[in-house]
Amino acid sequence: MQIRWTKTVAALATAALALTACTGGSGPATPAEPVDTDGELSGTVSFQTWSLKNETFAPYFEALIKDFEAETGVKVEWLDQPGDGYQDKVLSQANSNTLPDVINLPPDIAYPLADAGVLLDLATAKPDLASVYVPGAWEAYQYPGLEGTFGLPWYLGTDLAWWNGEELKKYGADVENLPTTNEDMLKLATEVGEASNGQMPLLSSMPTLDLFASSDIPVMNEAGEFVFNTPAAAKIIDDFAAAYAAKALPPEVLTGDYGGNADMYKQGKVAFTTAGSGFARDLKTDAPKIHDVTIATPRIGAAPLFVQGLSVSAQSKNQSAALALAEYVTNTENQLKFVEIAVGFMPGTVEGSANADALTAAIEDPLQKSAMEIISESMKTAKILTPFQWTGAMKTYMDQQMALALKGELGSQEALDKIVAYANENRIEN
């Protein structure tokens, strides 16, 4: 299973305007009073997932729905949409007033719906929910300019650092004391690049926005302007340029002519990558020899948070049952059962994500077990690093300028100034 994190902000922001026009919305539709989910429930609610009705997950959902129906008397209609074109389908449903009562939405797809007033503000509907869920994931459904919270965190992901211990030892690295800061990582990359004469690069990606954010460099200010063109960010670029000169990055990274850093690691072309905890399983299948010499450590800097959640339609005619179902699907017990199948993901509740013993009880692979223990701890502070205003076009432009800077054809500060200017000229207004 691969989690589906979307980068469709530009299209979605445009769609939000259409949604507002079609629905007549001018902001979140909040209930006049809390929604009661503790009283007697009845009726029918629709529940939409995203590409999960398959032989792996269908038995889980069928049992979960059967149990909910038995406990509450509510009838659940389970819908599922294919992976491709999901955001377009959701926006079409919202425009035609056919949005399901409970719907699987990541934060970026939820944003235009919340902005158009078609999602329930869950913080108002049931204020005590905030303490149940992982703080960073709860906050992921809060948006600048909007009052409220518009999703219940369901299954979560983050990145770890993965190191080829065998290759690193060849070139003098101390695998018992691997880097914990980006500065030390770049220093090691340069050393390994020089020692191996470029035969075993450590790095396989250029500086990214989330790298700056993970290094505590402010990305946006309160006015929604990008502001990461700082001396600290320039130093990171300069360090990357030195690493590139020392052959610590393969040349194809600068052209985008490669499969990605995780793929290069599995192919034995680099000695480090970042990837989610499910990467241990991928290595076991695709590169068993590399799996056996791989070391997992926490992501360097702040851990990124990837979120899938459940939202409730503000247009639902059965909000009590809908919210009750969303809570039921995302409670700790049911989330722990879900991630037993979706290996490598974490529950969205505080209790579930902190329960390392339960998360690793059925795992036999020591590397996978170690990874789950690491991300259980990381979830305490993991946060969204890349703001939803950062678009694919902005990333493409940044990659172009980074390539020039790493080759020495553009100064690091000039590159940053150009990227920030481009991003602010093309930013999405809230």
Side-chain angles (χ1 to χ4, degrees), residues 228-234 237-238 410-418:
F228 55 87
N229 51 335
T230 66
I237 297 173
D238 290 338
L410 187 66
S412 57
Q413 189 61 55
E414 184 182 359
L416 285 168
D417 290 342
K418 291 180 68 175

Side-chain angles (χ1 to χ4, degrees), residues 46-121:
S46 51
F47 169 44
Q48 181 167 290
T49 52
W50 184 0
S51 192
L52 290 173
K53 185 174 282 190
N54 52 48
E55 61 182 14
T56 301
F57 294 101
Y60 166 82
F61 284 108
E62 289 165 356
L64 180 145
I65 289 169
K66 182 178 179 181
D67 289 344
F68 179 78
E69 290 177 336
E71 291 181 24
T72 64
V74 175
K75 180 69 175 176
V76 177
E77 178 188 5
W78 179 25
L79 311 171
D80 189 74
Q81 299 296 337
D84 293 338
Y86 185 67
Q87 63 269 24
D88 293 332
K89 177 63 177 180
V90 169
L91 293 169
S92 175
Q93 290 172 321
N95 272 317
S96 60
N97 294 320
T98 58
L99 199 66
D101 297 289
V102 180
I103 182 169
N104 176 190
L105 297 174
D108 60 338
I109 296 182
Y111 164 65
L113 303 180
D115 190 46
V118 298
L119 294 184
L120 190 66
D121 170 13

Side-chain angles (χ1 to χ4, degrees), residues 117-130:
V118 298
L119 294 184
L120 190 66
D121 170 13
L122 302 171
T124 301
K126 201 162 185 180
D128 61 351
L129 288 175

Side-chain angles (χ1 to χ4, degrees), residues 87-430:
Q87 63 269 24
D88 293 332
K89 177 63 177 180
V90 169
L91 293 169
S92 175
Q93 290 172 321
N95 272 317
S96 60
N97 294 320
T98 58
L99 199 66
D101 297 289
V102 180
I103 182 169
N104 176 190
L105 297 174
D108 60 338
I109 296 182
Y111 164 65
L113 303 180
D115 190 46
V118 298
L119 294 184
L120 190 66
D121 170 13
L122 302 171
T124 301
K126 201 162 185 180
D128 61 351
L129 288 175
S131 63
V132 174
Y133 298 93
V134 171
W138 177 259
E139 292 165 6
Y141 288 93
Q142 299 170 348
Y143 307 102
L146 298 181
E147 292 290 333
T149 306
F150 300 94
L152 299 184
W154 187 8
Y155 57 99
L156 314 178
T158 188
D159 276 349
L160 293 84
W162 304 84
W163 313 79
N164 187 321
E166 183 176 68
E167 290 294 336
L168 290 175
K169 287 178 184 177
K170 288 181 184 178
Y171 303 107
D174 180 1
V175 297
E176 299 297 326
N177 294 284
L178 292 166
T180 58
T181 67
N182 286 311
E183 184 177 10
D184 287 344
M185 154 65 97
L186 288 163
K187 180 181 177 182
L188 178 62
T190 300
E191 292 171 354
V192 172
E194 291 175 342
S196 70
N197 194 30
Q199 295 304 302
M200 183 45 63
L202 196 64
L203 304 176
S204 56
S205 63
M206 295 186 290
T208 60
L209 192 70
D210 78 329
L211 175 63
F212 295 153
S214 72
S215 303
D216 293 326
I217 294 171
V219 170
M220 298 187 79
N221 62 19
E222 292 183 359
E225 300 165 329
F226 290 101
V227 294
F228 55 87
N229 51 335
T230 66
K235 184 179 185 307
I236 289 176
I237 297 173
D238 290 338
D239 289 344
F240 262 82
Y244 179 70
K247 300 182 180 180
L249 285 85
E252 57 264 38
V253 170
L254 273 61
T255 64
D257 186 23
Y258 73 118
N261 58 341
D263 284 345
M264 293 190 79
Y265 183 87
K266 286 191 288 186
Q267 294 164 10
K269 294 180 178 180
V270 295
F272 166 83
T273 189
T274 58
S277 61
F279 190 56
R281 179 193 57 227
D282 296 341
L283 284 173
K284 190 80 170 178
T285 301
D286 301 334
K289 291 183 179 179
I290 294 177
H291 168 279
D292 293 344
V293 297
T294 292
I295 302 166
T297 66
R299 165 75 179 257
I300 296 173
L305 182 64
F306 311 127
V307 185
Q308 283 287 350
L310 296 182
S311 298
V312 175
S313 171
Q315 302 167 338
S316 172
K317 296 179 180 179
N318 196 355
Q319 286 187 354
S320 293
L323 181 53
L325 175 61
E327 288 184 75
Y328 187 79
V329 175
T330 61
N331 69 29
T332 294
E333 180 182 357
N334 286 321
Q335 291 215 41
L336 285 172
K337 291 178 181 178
F338 181 75
V339 298
E340 284 182 11
I341 311 168
V343 176
F345 297 107
M346 299 292 290
T349 64
V350 172
E351 181 183 0
S353 66
N355 194 338
D357 290 340
L359 291 166
T360 61
I363 297 175
E364 296 181 358
D365 177 13
L367 182 60
Q368 181 69 68
K369 187 181 288 285
S370 172
M372 293 303 293
E373 291 169 348
I374 290 169
I375 66 168
S376 178
E377 184 66 24
S378 297
M379 280 298 158
K380 295 176 182 178
T381 56
K383 59 184 179 180
I384 301 289
L385 296 181
T386 304
F388 69 90
Q389 295 95 333
W390 184 251
T391 67
M394 293 174 189
K395 180 185 181 304
T396 297
Y397 186 81
M398 180 174 181
D399 287 346
Q400 293 168 349
Q401 305 313 307
M402 286 296 106
L404 294 173
L406 266 58
K407 289 186 291 186
E409 298 175 10
L410 187 66
S412 57
Q413 189 61 55
E414 184 182 359
L416 285 168
D417 290 342
K418 291 180 68 175
I419 296 163
V420 167
Y422 177 88
N424 283 329
E425 288 169 4
N426 294 278
R427 68 191 175 102
I428 296 161
E429 301 293 341
N430 297 323

